[in-house]
Amino acid sequence: MGHVVKTPAGTWRANWRDPAGRQRAKTFPTKREASRFLAEVESTKSRGQYIDPQAGKTRFGDFAARWEAARVVEATTSAATRSALRARLLPYWGTWPLASIDHLAVQEWVNKIAAELAPSSVASLHGKLSAILGAAARARLIAANPCEGIRLPAARKADRDGRTITRDELVSKLLPVVPEFYRALPATAAGAGLRWGECLGLRWSDIDVDAGVLHVRRVVIEVRGRVTVKPYPKTRAGRRTVPMAGFLSDALRIHRKITGGGEQTAVFTGPDGGHLLRGNFRRRIWRPSLVRAGLLGNLAPTDDGQVIATWPTSDSEDAQAEFAAENAAIKHIVANAHGGLRFHDLRHCYATWLVSRNLPVNVVQTVMGHEQATTTLNLYTHASADHYEQIRRALDADDLLTDNQGDE
């Protein structure tokens, strides 16, 4: 059992042994405080919840480094965490002793960054801080995770206007203006609902054009320009067989004639046979194609041979400038236009087209590679003009009027 003694300086020292049998002591101004502390120590020891008072002096930055080094996660997850630590967490919390980070301090930090960042970004940063402090609590460095019960800013529903296009817009407007060497890549995202990494992970042995199916077996991961091939998809449900749209089968037949390659050759590569980098594709192929298709900004030739470029800005206003050549106008729109259809939005389109055709959600879930049907409903389906017309027809139906009269 511990005991309390008076020191020569007139203070009171609580003495006890920790669970490992090591002698510990802490000094207090009064005997009552020392006794109260000692009683709490003995209580936590009996409950198996003992926390060494010195452990909380570990600085957040030092523990975060150990925590990050010990984790076994995907490369993309690790890169995102390191970025958040470097940009936001360590500059603020790095020198704080773990025991000094209490619930109020975390709430004040959340309120501060909420004035600068979107709610989703705040939630992401809070989640990473909570993971680190939760690990500190499990390591018995602090008594509890101070991130629990924090009030986060309400998440705003993302505005997805313009983030889907119709099948006709894809086939008649967008695909024809994509350079022929790359055309089958967006066709695969839209015609089979594949993610970027799943598209790049395809080999010709995964595709049966005659049967109209492809098999998702592996993915390509890119972190800071370094590309690796992972021999399994994002989740267990991600390993799947997907029926292909007719326009995709046609695009892949043409693509194989252009690129050649054996059964184990990657379907999508750069012109030199190397890996495609997502940022380069977006800047050099994807966004210029959106401009040419009339899906990002607008190009209008003038009578004197000039080109007037119009593009959306971040403040919801349109900007305009005149250029001597179309390529210069396209390059300027690509660099300055706000928003626009993302490559990943083609996957949104795929799911929306299927659901709008009344395919069962569990079927769409399977071909999308989702583990939960709620993911399919919440993330990848959007109201369309066709939905609105179906609602109008349902509300105007004669049997609905008859039913209402019968209830009176």
Side-chain angles (χ1 to χ4, degrees):
M1 292 292 292
H3 60 282
V4 176
V5 298
K6 190 173 185 179
T7 69
T11 57
W12 296 85
R13 181 185 297 123
N15 300 276
W16 74 97
R17 290 189 181 276
D18 66 18
R22 292 170 296 192
Q23 185 67 47
R24 300 292 187 181
K26 188 173 182 179
T27 303
F28 297 87
T30 66
K31 184 177 182 180
R32 176 177 294 181
E33 291 176 277
S35 298
R36 185 184 300 119
F37 172 81
L38 192 59
E40 179 61 26
V41 166
E42 297 299 336
S43 176
T44 57
K45 284 170 59 179
S46 66
R47 297 196 305 268
Q49 298 175 345
Y50 174 80
I51 303 293
D52 184 348
Q54 301 299 315
K57 294 182 178 180
T58 301
R59 297 191 182 277
F60 175 87
D62 295 334
F63 181 77
R66 290 181 55 202
W67 171 81
E68 172 62 18
R71 289 202 309 163
V72 180
V73 294
E74 299 288 355
T76 50
T77 301
S78 180
T81 301
R82 288 197 302 271
S83 177
L85 282 166
R86 183 174 59 253
R88 289 283 178 175
L89 298 181
L90 292 180
Y92 190 93
W93 297 108
T95 61
W96 284 56
L98 290 173
S100 298
I101 305 175
D102 58 18
H103 182 86
L104 181 59
V106 175
Q107 186 66 69
E108 289 171 343
W109 173 73
V110 165
N111 295 345
K112 175 181 172 61
I113 62 174
E116 308 169 19
L117 304 174
S120 58
S121 299
V122 174
S124 176
L125 288 169
H126 170 265
K128 291 177 175 60
L129 179 65
S130 181
I132 296 170
L133 295 178
R138 291 190 294 274
R140 293 285 190 267
L141 299 182
I142 53 178
N145 184 352
C147 289
E148 294 179 0
I150 293 295
R151 288 182 61 86
L152 299 175
R156 299 186 296 268
K157 186 175 181 179
D159 182 2
R160 298 191 180 276
D161 290 346
R163 292 293 180 89
T164 59
I165 57 176
T166 67
R167 182 185 179 281
D168 288 342
E169 286 175 320
L170 174 84
V171 174
S172 64
K173 290 185 177 181
L174 181 55
L175 292 183
V177 299
V178 177
E180 189 175 42
F181 183 85
Y182 299 97
R183 192 171 298 157
L185 179 51
T188 301
L194 269 60
R195 304 172 176 91
W196 170 266
E198 292 173 340
C199 290
L200 268 59
L202 289 174
R203 298 177 184 173
W204 284 113
S205 58
D206 300 323
I207 297 174
D208 188 337
V209 176
D210 294 333
V213 297
L214 59 79
H215 307 280
V216 180
R217 297 187 172 113
R218 67 193 67 79
V219 297
V220 166
I221 297 175
E222 178 186 338
V223 178
R224 295 182 181 177
R226 183 178 180 180
V227 176
T228 56
V229 179
K230 190 171 72 170
Y232 50 87
K234 182 178 179 181
T235 64
R236 181 180 299 179
R239 191 178 182 91
R240 62 197 188 278
T241 298
V242 184
M244 300 189 297
F247 68 79
L248 173 55
S249 297
D250 295 340
L252 287 171
R253 286 191 181 94
I254 297 172
H255 186 67
R256 188 155 198 184
K257 289 180 181 178
I258 295 172
T259 61
E263 287 294 290
Q264 295 306 313
T265 302
V267 176
F268 301 112
T269 66
D272 60 354
H275 289 295
L276 276 176
L277 297 181
R278 190 165 191 166
N280 290 344
F281 177 83
R282 179 179 182 273
R283 183 176 64 258
R284 299 173 183 174
I285 307 299
W286 178 248
R287 283 174 69 82
S289 297
L290 292 179
V291 177
R292 294 189 180 95
L295 298 174
L296 179 63
N298 183 61
L299 301 172
T302 65
D303 294 338
D304 58 357
Q306 301 291 301
V307 177
I308 297 176
T310 306
W311 64 93
T313 64
S314 58
D315 58 3
S316 301
E317 298 289 338
D318 283 344
Q320 194 173 83
E322 189 171 305
F323 297 86
E326 182 177 275
N327 285 342
I330 293 174
K331 185 176 181 180
H332 189 85
I333 293 176
V334 166
N336 294 280
H338 177 73
L341 192 76
R342 303 168 302 176
F343 183 88
H344 190 75
D345 289 326
L346 296 177
R347 179 169 158 83
H348 292 238
C349 295
Y350 175 82
T352 302
W353 298 340
L354 297 183
V355 172
S356 67
R357 291 292 183 178
N358 297 319
L359 266 73
V361 171
N362 64 316
V363 173
V364 181
Q365 171 195 350
T366 299
V367 295
M368 292 290 287
H370 291 153
E371 292 192 316
Q372 302 293 331
T374 52
T375 303
T376 309
L377 287 170
N378 294 338
L379 297 181
Y380 296 105
T381 58
H382 315 288
S384 65
D386 182 62
H387 290 156
Y388 297 147
E389 185 58 34
Q390 291 179 33
I391 292 170
R392 292 189 189 98
R393 288 199 299 268
L395 294 175
D396 291 339
D398 292 340
D399 58 346
L400 180 63
L401 295 175
T402 302
D403 290 344
N404 287 340
Q405 291 171 357
D407 293 339
E408 291 179 355

